[in-house]
Amino acid sequence: MIKAQNNHGLLFTCADPDAAGGFDRTVLAYLAFDNKTGGHLKDLLKSDPEMPMAHCLRGYFMMLMGARALVPRALQEARTGLERKADLEEREVMHLNALLAWANGSLDRATSIWDEIARMYPRDMLALKMAHFGYFYTGRSTMIRDGVARALDFWSPADPEYSFLGSMYAFGLEESGEYDKAERVVRDALDRNPNDPWGIHAMAHVFEATDRFGEGVRAITEMEGNWKPANNFRYHVAWHRALFHYENNDAEAALAAFDADVFNEAATEDLDVCNDASLLLRIELGGVDVGDRWQKIGAKAAKREEELMLPFVDVHFVLALASSEDPDHRARARSLADAMNKYGASSPDDNAATYRDVGGALAQAIVSYRENKYADTWSVMSEILDRIQAIGGSHAQRDLFREIAGDALWNAEPGGADAIAFYGTRSRMRKGDQRNWDRYLSALERGGHDSALRSARTRFQAAAGGSH
């Protein structure tokens, strides 16, 4: 084995002197959500079958699939990579240990290692990207921002990865509430490289967070040629466009977008099912008959095992299954919710903590909601909403659970104190949510709160631009 240096000054243990370049090509394709990513990795392993970091990368990709059946194979990739541990660079050992931690049930530990690598080696693009993933799925919004921010000065616009770092940073800025800066940064990143689905996605988040729904539809549509060639992540970009229609109070247009660009029966990755279920429920809440579409989403979810890898994913699978009219799907939903709670209660995995604290309860609340047990749903939701960020995902994605809570509350006690408090709070957080405004004003009127009702109507008219 030799040491080969990549384009960023990092040493790789390998047999082929060109392997470091092949590794860089694979990571660059991964950043771009390129369908050729897997092919690049196969070529790398073919040219250098024993390269430790190639095995590590293959293990990472297996874990990213979210399938528990792949965990033993990912563990073996880590062990294979560590067979020559004494010959490896410190950075390589750290990566392989991160893979071991992740496959052994601790995404938090893996993320801590990626964070440490990125601090020690700020030009390690893979560490920066994996840490970004880890922060996202452990609910650490400010670290999505800061993990990239501290590395930026070590990169140059001449680096092909530079624009991708910009889009990652912009997403972190948005998730941290810095919307103006996020927009400036992501526009710069997309000017440098428009073929960046993560950047287009970050721009969509800025538009969503600032209630610019029509502008969001136009921007995503204008850039279709830049994101539609991507891998399955293209369905998530399309999800954002459909979400803009829904948030612009046009659930019919959202359903048309769901059918045209979001749902694909062959798209069965975790994020695909999350996209499908979260969008269709919103459309349903918008008052549109969704026909038999839940059965089709439930059929996708039913093909997967009880993975118990990411609570964010599992609760969406529970929603997909519990919303279907198929009794087998509904039984699977209850089984998965039970499995999540059992995993949280009894597993020694670090990952189990989030299932125990939030995920299991959220899954049970979703089952109750789809069984029309609205008081039970609200009882659980009211206890966990302030901790729900721990399951990961973005603010826009997690808002679904607040919508579920609000709908359950409306069906359980539409004029009660809890309803007024919930809708009143949301009216200040989500000023464009027409349904929430309708419910808030109605709840105040039912409760005879005339002074508060006048104040709320004034705010509503201001939020609506005086058109109501």
Side-chain angles (χ1 to χ4, degrees):
M1 302 291 273
I2 61 171
K3 301 291 182 177
Q5 189 175 84
N6 76 346
N7 291 330
H8 311 310
L10 302 175
L11 291 176
F12 286 80
T13 306
C14 52
D16 180 356
D18 296 326
F23 186 89
D24 285 350
R25 281 191 294 277
T26 306
V27 172
L28 193 61
Y30 170 48
L31 295 175
F33 295 90
D34 193 324
N35 283 302
K36 299 183 180 70
T37 305
H40 286 309
L41 180 58
K42 288 179 182 177
D43 290 344
L44 176 60
L45 281 161
K46 184 177 180 180
S47 66
D48 198 333
E50 296 183 2
M51 183 185 185
M53 281 303 298
H55 285 282
C56 184
L57 189 54
R58 183 158 64 181
Y60 284 167
F61 287 172
M62 288 175 179
M63 293 299 296
L64 287 167
M65 293 300 295
R68 192 162 286 274
L70 293 177
V71 171
R73 292 174 59 186
L75 280 168
Q76 186 54 52
E77 294 294 336
R79 295 184 185 117
T80 298
L82 287 167
E83 285 176 356
R84 293 183 173 87
K85 182 177 178 179
D87 299 328
L88 302 188
E89 297 296 306
E90 178 185 35
R91 188 194 80 262
E92 294 175 311
V93 173
M94 293 172 75
H95 267 293
L96 289 158
N97 283 336
L99 176 57
L100 280 174
W102 191 8
N104 278 313
S106 184
L107 177 58
D108 189 64
R109 174 60 183 150
T111 304
S112 294
I113 297 173
W114 292 322
D115 182 277
E116 185 177 5
I117 299 170
R119 282 185 281 113
M120 294 172 63
Y121 305 92
R123 283 179 64 79
D124 187 323
M125 189 65 236
L126 180 61
L128 289 165
K129 182 64 173 178
M130 296 309 301
H132 202 65
F133 167 87
Y135 305 140
F136 180 78
Y137 278 111
T138 54
R140 299 166 66 187
S141 297
T142 57
M143 284 307 300
I144 298 173
R145 175 195 65 195
D146 296 346
V148 180
R150 65 195 181 197
L152 285 172
D153 285 339
F154 292 86
W155 294 80
S156 161
D159 292 315
E161 296 85 357
Y162 188 78
S163 63
F164 295 110
L165 281 167
S167 64
M168 290 164 59
Y169 182 42
F171 179 62
L173 288 165
E174 181 278 325
E175 288 296 290
S176 301
E178 298 183 58
Y179 306 130
D180 291 343
K181 187 173 181 180
E183 184 168 352
R184 290 195 302 273
V185 171
V186 76
R187 286 189 183 279
D188 177 74
L190 290 173
D191 283 345
R192 295 175 187 278
N193 176 17
N195 297 317
D196 178 5
W198 191 256
I200 298 167
H201 152 270
M203 178 68 84
H205 273 273
V206 172
F207 289 143
E208 196 274 339
T210 54
D211 293 342
R212 292 149 65 192
F213 309 133
E215 193 173 348
V217 170
R218 290 191 294 275
I220 292 178
T221 301
E222 288 169 1
M223 298 193 76
E224 273 192 354
N226 303 106
W227 58 265
K228 276 202 168 181
N231 62 17
N232 280 34
F233 192 70
R234 69 187 184 274
Y235 298 116
H236 186 62
V237 179
W239 176 89
H240 274 281
R241 180 164 59 182
L243 183 64
F244 286 134
H245 287 304
Y246 166 76
E247 293 183 319
N248 209 27
N249 301 308
D250 192 348
E252 292 282 1
L255 184 62
F258 174 92
D259 289 337
D261 291 316
V262 179
F263 181 83
N264 182 329
E265 198 165 352
T268 58
E269 293 182 7
D270 287 350
L271 184 57
D272 301 324
V273 176
C274 293
N275 293 332
D276 296 342
S278 64
L279 180 58
L280 197 64
L281 180 61
R282 286 178 168 100
I283 292 168
E284 205 172 59
L285 290 173
V288 175
D289 182 355
V290 300
D292 66 351
R293 290 173 180 83
W294 278 118
Q295 283 88 309
K296 294 177 181 179
I297 301 174
K300 278 193 195 184
K303 292 177 182 177
R304 295 291 294 268
E305 299 300 322
E306 294 174 349
E307 308 295 358
L308 306 177
M309 300 278 283
L310 292 169
F312 175 85
V313 170
D314 287 332
V315 294
H316 281 84
F317 273 65
V318 169
L319 174 61
L321 293 162
S323 300
S324 171
E325 292 296 326
D326 187 321
D328 290 339
H329 293 169
R330 293 197 164 211
R332 286 286 300 277
R334 290 188 288 271
S335 175
L336 177 53
D338 288 344
M340 291 173 67
N341 278 283
K342 289 176 183 175
Y343 177 67
S346 61
S347 174
D349 292 353
D350 287 350
N351 291 348
T354 308
Y355 284 83
R356 180 169 58 252
D357 295 342
V358 183
L362 178 56
Q364 292 292 356
I366 290 170
V367 171
S368 294
Y369 175 69
R370 290 320 250 169
E371 293 177 348
N372 302 325
K373 298 175 182 176
Y374 299 118
D376 291 347
T377 303
W378 171 247
S379 177
V380 174
M381 285 292 206
S382 65
E383 295 294 324
I384 63 174
L385 279 178
D386 65 340
R387 307 195 308 275
I388 212 160
Q389 185 164 333
I391 69 168
S394 69
H395 297 306
Q397 289 172 311
R398 288 190 304 269
D399 191 59
L400 172 71
F401 306 119
R402 295 189 180 277
E403 295 210 52
I404 290 173
D407 192 57
L409 188 54
W410 182 252
N411 283 282
E413 48 170 289
D418 282 351
I420 291 170
F422 180 89
Y423 302 132
T425 300
R426 186 170 176 82
S427 74
R428 295 181 182 276
M429 297 168 58
R430 308 286 295 191
K431 295 178 182 179
D433 188 338
Q434 175 70 47
R435 184 173 55 261
N436 183 76
W437 275 113
D438 291 343
R439 288 173 170 175
Y440 183 41
L441 297 174
S442 177
L444 288 172
E445 188 171 15
R446 288 177 186 227
H449 301 286
D450 295 341
S451 177
L453 178 59
R454 286 193 295 272
S455 177
R457 279 180 173 156
T458 299
R459 285 198 304 110
F460 169 55
Q461 290 165 359
S467 60
H468 295 270

mmCIF file of all heavy atoms in Angstrom, residues 10 49 71 79 143 151 159 170 183 198 214 232 240 248 257 262 266 290 299 308 316 352 354 396 406 421:
data_model
loop_
_atom_site.group_PDB
_atom_site.id
_atom_site.type_symbol
_atom_site.label_atom_id
_atom_site.label_comp_id
_atom_site.label_asym_id
_atom_site.label_seq_id
_atom_site.Cartn_x
_atom_site.Cartn_y
_atom_site.Cartn_z
ATOM 1 N N LEU A 10 -5.127 15.886 1.300
ATOM 2 C CA LEU A 10 -5.335 14.800 2.254
ATOM 3 C C LEU A 10 -4.702 13.520 1.728
ATOM 4 O O LEU A 10 -4.780 13.217 0.532
ATOM 5 C CB LEU A 10 -6.835 14.571 2.478
ATOM 6 C CG LEU A 10 -7.626 15.780 2.982
ATOM 7 C CD1 LEU A 10 -9.111 15.442 3.042
ATOM 8 C CD2 LEU A 10 -7.124 16.224 4.352
ATOM 9 N N PRO A 49 -9.323 -2.522 -4.912
ATOM 10 C CA PRO A 49 -10.263 -3.279 -4.077
ATOM 11 C C PRO A 49 -9.978 -3.202 -2.579
ATOM 12 O O PRO A 49 -10.881 -3.502 -1.775
ATOM 13 C CB PRO A 49 -10.107 -4.722 -4.586
ATOM 14 C CG PRO A 49 -9.426 -4.621 -5.899
ATOM 15 C CD PRO A 49 -8.582 -3.390 -5.840
ATOM 16 N N VAL A 71 -27.024 -3.216 7.667
ATOM 17 C CA VAL A 71 -26.125 -2.845 8.762
ATOM 18 C C VAL A 71 -24.973 -3.840 8.925
ATOM 19 O O VAL A 71 -23.810 -3.418 9.064
ATOM 20 C CB VAL A 71 -26.905 -2.672 10.080
ATOM 21 C CG1 VAL A 71 -25.955 -2.508 11.262
ATOM 22 C CG2 VAL A 71 -27.835 -1.464 9.978
ATOM 23 N N ARG A 79 -14.791 -3.051 9.245
ATOM 24 C CA ARG A 79 -13.768 -4.005 9.720
ATOM 25 C C ARG A 79 -12.730 -4.263 8.633
ATOM 26 O O ARG A 79 -11.526 -4.365 8.924
ATOM 27 C CB ARG A 79 -14.438 -5.309 10.148
ATOM 28 C CG ARG A 79 -15.355 -5.151 11.369
ATOM 29 C CD ARG A 79 -15.922 -6.481 11.815
ATOM 30 N NE ARG A 79 -16.883 -6.320 12.896
ATOM 31 C CZ ARG A 79 -18.167 -6.637 12.828
ATOM 32 N NH1 ARG A 79 -18.658 -7.167 11.703
ATOM 33 N NH2 ARG A 79 -18.975 -6.448 13.852
ATOM 34 N N MET A 143 -25.860 23.694 14.276
ATOM 35 C CA MET A 143 -24.660 23.008 13.814
ATOM 36 C C MET A 143 -24.723 22.701 12.317
ATOM 37 O O MET A 143 -23.679 22.563 11.670
ATOM 38 C CB MET A 143 -24.423 21.743 14.620
ATOM 39 C CG MET A 143 -23.860 22.000 16.011
ATOM 40 S SD MET A 143 -22.360 23.037 15.994
ATOM 41 C CE MET A 143 -21.251 22.035 15.003
ATOM 42 N N ALA A 151 -15.429 26.009 8.291
ATOM 43 C CA ALA A 151 -14.518 25.435 7.295
ATOM 44 C C ALA A 151 -14.369 26.294 6.055
ATOM 45 O O ALA A 151 -13.442 26.081 5.259
ATOM 46 C CB ALA A 151 -15.011 24.042 6.888
ATOM 47 N N ASP A 159 -12.162 25.631 -6.038
ATOM 48 C CA ASP A 159 -12.444 24.232 -5.715
ATOM 49 C C ASP A 159 -13.815 23.845 -6.261
ATOM 50 O O ASP A 159 -14.795 24.588 -6.070
ATOM 51 C CB ASP A 159 -12.455 24.013 -4.198
ATOM 52 C CG ASP A 159 -11.089 24.182 -3.569
ATOM 53 O OD1 ASP A 159 -10.112 23.638 -4.137
ATOM 54 O OD2 ASP A 159 -10.989 24.847 -2.512
ATOM 55 N N ALA A 170 -25.940 27.762 3.365
ATOM 56 C CA ALA A 170 -27.205 28.490 3.229
ATOM 57 C C ALA A 170 -28.351 27.740 3.899
ATOM 58 O O ALA A 170 -29.201 28.350 4.575
ATOM 59 C CB ALA A 170 -27.518 28.712 1.748
ATOM 60 N N GLU A 183 -30.436 33.592 1.892
ATOM 61 C CA GLU A 183 -30.769 33.854 0.488
ATOM 62 C C GLU A 183 -29.572 34.397 -0.270
ATOM 63 O O GLU A 183 -29.312 33.996 -1.422
ATOM 64 C CB GLU A 183 -31.953 34.809 0.397
ATOM 65 C CG GLU A 183 -32.403 35.041 -1.025
ATOM 66 C CD GLU A 183 -33.738 35.745 -1.124
ATOM 67 O OE1 GLU A 183 -34.399 35.933 -0.072
ATOM 68 O OE2 GLU A 183 -34.117 36.119 -2.249
ATOM 69 N N TRP A 198 -29.186 20.456 -3.891
ATOM 70 C CA TRP A 198 -29.243 20.883 -2.483
ATOM 71 C C TRP A 198 -29.350 22.403 -2.396
ATOM 72 O O TRP A 198 -30.039 22.940 -1.522
ATOM 73 C CB TRP A 198 -28.011 20.386 -1.729
ATOM 74 C CG TRP A 198 -28.143 20.556 -0.232
ATOM 75 C CD1 TRP A 198 -27.552 21.500 0.547
ATOM 76 C CD2 TRP A 198 -28.924 19.749 0.652
ATOM 77 N NE1 TRP A 198 -27.914 21.339 1.867
ATOM 78 C CE2 TRP A 198 -28.754 20.262 1.960
ATOM 79 C CE3 TRP A 198 -29.758 18.630 0.478
ATOM 80 C CZ2 TRP A 198 -29.391 19.712 3.071
ATOM 81 C CZ3 TRP A 198 -30.383 18.086 1.586
ATOM 82 C CH2 TRP A 198 -30.189 18.624 2.862
ATOM 83 N N GLY A 214 -45.572 31.819 -4.087
ATOM 84 C CA GLY A 214 -45.595 31.952 -5.544
ATOM 85 C C GLY A 214 -44.207 32.071 -6.131
ATOM 86 O O GLY A 214 -43.897 31.489 -7.175
ATOM 87 N N ASN A 232 -33.026 10.257 -6.697
ATOM 88 C CA ASN A 232 -34.348 10.373 -6.078
ATOM 89 C C ASN A 232 -34.561 11.669 -5.302
ATOM 90 O O ASN A 232 -35.692 11.997 -4.958
ATOM 91 C CB ASN A 232 -34.604 9.170 -5.156
ATOM 92 C CG ASN A 232 -35.042 7.947 -5.938
ATOM 93 O OD1 ASN A 232 -34.589 7.742 -7.059
ATOM 94 N ND2 ASN A 232 -35.907 7.145 -5.372
ATOM 95 N N HIS A 240 -41.227 20.235 -2.534
ATOM 96 C CA HIS A 240 -41.229 21.631 -2.116
ATOM 97 C C HIS A 240 -42.143 22.466 -3.017
ATOM 98 O O HIS A 240 -42.873 23.349 -2.532
ATOM 99 C CB HIS A 240 -39.816 22.198 -2.133
ATOM 100 C CG HIS A 240 -39.058 21.959 -0.872
ATOM 101 N ND1 HIS A 240 -39.243 22.716 0.265
ATOM 102 C CD2 HIS A 240 -38.120 21.024 -0.558
ATOM 103 C CE1 HIS A 240 -38.456 22.271 1.225
ATOM 104 N NE2 HIS A 240 -37.761 21.252 0.759
ATOM 105 N N ASN A 248 -50.052 28.076 -0.329
ATOM 106 C CA ASN A 248 -50.704 29.202 -0.998
ATOM 107 C C ASN A 248 -52.209 28.970 -1.091
ATOM 108 O O ASN A 248 -52.900 29.608 -1.884
ATOM 109 C CB ASN A 248 -50.113 29.405 -2.396
ATOM 110 C CG ASN A 248 -50.179 30.842 -2.853
ATOM 111 O OD1 ASN A 248 -50.187 31.773 -2.049
ATOM 112 N ND2 ASN A 248 -50.246 31.045 -4.167
ATOM 113 N N ALA A 257 -49.663 18.456 -8.532
ATOM 114 C CA ALA A 257 -48.199 18.361 -8.470
ATOM 115 C C ALA A 257 -47.766 17.043 -7.847
ATOM 116 O O ALA A 257 -46.758 16.448 -8.253
ATOM 117 C CB ALA A 257 -47.635 19.532 -7.668
ATOM 118 N N VAL A 262 -44.236 14.166 -7.707
ATOM 119 C CA VAL A 262 -43.785 13.714 -6.389
ATOM 120 C C VAL A 262 -43.926 12.209 -6.244
ATOM 121 O O VAL A 262 -42.951 11.501 -5.956
ATOM 122 C CB VAL A 262 -44.552 14.445 -5.266
ATOM 123 C CG1 VAL A 262 -44.097 13.944 -3.893
ATOM 124 C CG2 VAL A 262 -44.352 15.951 -5.372
ATOM 125 N N ALA A 266 -42.341 3.494 -8.194
ATOM 126 C CA ALA A 266 -41.032 2.828 -8.148
ATOM 127 C C ALA A 266 -40.058 3.519 -7.204
ATOM 128 O O ALA A 266 -38.980 2.991 -6.932
ATOM 129 C CB ALA A 266 -40.434 2.767 -9.552
ATOM 130 N N VAL A 290 -58.539 12.657 -1.705
ATOM 131 C CA VAL A 290 -57.312 12.114 -2.299
ATOM 132 C C VAL A 290 -57.511 10.715 -2.880
ATOM 133 O O VAL A 290 -56.553 10.076 -3.319
ATOM 134 C CB VAL A 290 -56.160 12.111 -1.273
ATOM 135 C CG1 VAL A 290 -55.872 13.526 -0.800
ATOM 136 C CG2 VAL A 290 -56.472 11.188 -0.103
ATOM 137 N N ALA A 299 -48.712 0.762 0.378
ATOM 138 C CA ALA A 299 -48.095 -0.417 -0.254
ATOM 139 C C ALA A 299 -46.581 -0.251 -0.334
ATOM 140 O O ALA A 299 -45.824 -1.221 -0.157
ATOM 141 C CB ALA A 299 -48.682 -0.626 -1.642
ATOM 142 N N LEU A 308 -36.209 0.938 12.289
ATOM 143 C CA LEU A 308 -35.768 1.530 13.558
ATOM 144 C C LEU A 308 -34.349 2.109 13.439
ATOM 145 O O LEU A 308 -33.497 1.891 14.291
ATOM 146 C CB LEU A 308 -35.836 0.498 14.693
ATOM 147 C CG LEU A 308 -37.198 -0.188 14.876
ATOM 148 C CD1 LEU A 308 -37.114 -1.229 15.982
ATOM 149 C CD2 LEU A 308 -38.286 0.830 15.155
ATOM 150 N N HIS A 316 -43.021 8.753 9.642
ATOM 151 C CA HIS A 316 -43.672 8.943 8.351
ATOM 152 C C HIS A 316 -44.185 7.614 7.799
ATOM 153 O O HIS A 316 -45.249 7.578 7.152
ATOM 154 C CB HIS A 316 -42.700 9.588 7.358
ATOM 155 C CG HIS A 316 -42.540 11.063 7.542
ATOM 156 N ND1 HIS A 316 -41.658 11.601 8.456
ATOM 157 C CD2 HIS A 316 -43.163 12.117 6.942
ATOM 158 C CE1 HIS A 316 -41.736 12.925 8.402
ATOM 159 N NE2 HIS A 316 -42.627 13.262 7.499
ATOM 160 N N ALA A 352 -31.703 4.805 20.521
ATOM 161 C CA ALA A 352 -32.977 4.502 21.181
ATOM 162 C C ALA A 352 -33.475 5.657 22.033
ATOM 163 O O ALA A 352 -34.676 5.759 22.298
ATOM 164 C CB ALA A 352 -32.833 3.243 22.039
ATOM 165 N N THR A 354 -33.875 8.831 21.430
ATOM 166 C CA THR A 354 -34.840 9.696 20.764
ATOM 167 C C THR A 354 -36.164 8.982 20.561
ATOM 168 O O THR A 354 -37.237 9.596 20.633
ATOM 169 C CB THR A 354 -34.294 10.196 19.415
ATOM 170 O OG1 THR A 354 -33.000 10.774 19.618
ATOM 171 C CG2 THR A 354 -35.208 11.228 18.802
ATOM 172 N N ALA A 396 -39.577 22.881 8.094
ATOM 173 C CA ALA A 396 -40.704 22.732 7.174
ATOM 174 C C ALA A 396 -41.275 21.324 7.235
ATOM 175 O O ALA A 396 -42.502 21.136 7.223
ATOM 176 C CB ALA A 396 -40.263 23.071 5.750
ATOM 177 N N GLY A 406 -52.815 20.473 15.512
ATOM 178 C CA GLY A 406 -53.856 21.484 15.388
ATOM 179 C C GLY A 406 -55.169 20.910 14.907
ATOM 180 O O GLY A 406 -56.250 21.311 15.380
ATOM 181 N N ALA A 421 -54.898 28.865 22.658
ATOM 182 C CA ALA A 421 -53.461 29.051 22.875
ATOM 183 C C ALA A 421 -52.649 28.519 21.698
ATOM 184 O O ALA A 421 -51.700 29.171 21.229
ATOM 185 C CB ALA A 421 -53.038 28.355 24.166
#
